[in-house]
Amino acid sequence: MSVDPDAGQTSTDPAETQEETETQEETVEAVAEDVRSEIRLGHVEDDVTHVLEERLDEAGVHLRPEKVDDLAEDIENDVST
């Protein structure tokens, strides 16, 4: 029986890490744009931070609370102008 030393480990290939980061950033921007659109349509009455956090969790993206707060503030500023 042989043992694969890499089994169960995540890749440390810089190209894959870069691709994952870009994919996550695209997902964050798509979620943010959806929230912006729904606010403009009057479909969001809850706290934007809370809504954004839920949507990001559903998309499988987990950001630090400060990042979510900053993004929510940016969304609110964008929509109010």
Side-chain angles (χ1 to χ4, degrees), residues 35-63:
V35 172
R36 279 184 193 97
S37 295
E38 290 193 26
I39 291 171
R40 287 183 183 117
L41 294 171
H43 296 164
V44 174
E45 295 180 15
D46 293 338
D47 177 59
V48 175
T49 301
H50 180 73
V51 171
L52 185 59
E53 212 167 41
E54 284 182 350
R55 301 284 176 83
L56 290 170
D57 282 344
E58 290 171 4
V61 177
H62 304 284
L63 299 177

Side-chain angles (χ1 to χ4, degrees), residues 22-33 55-56 59-61:
E22 289 173 1
T23 300
Q24 182 173 344
E25 289 173 1
E26 290 170 0
T27 301
V28 169
E29 187 52 43
V31 168
E33 191 55 43
R55 301 284 176 83
L56 290 170
V61 177

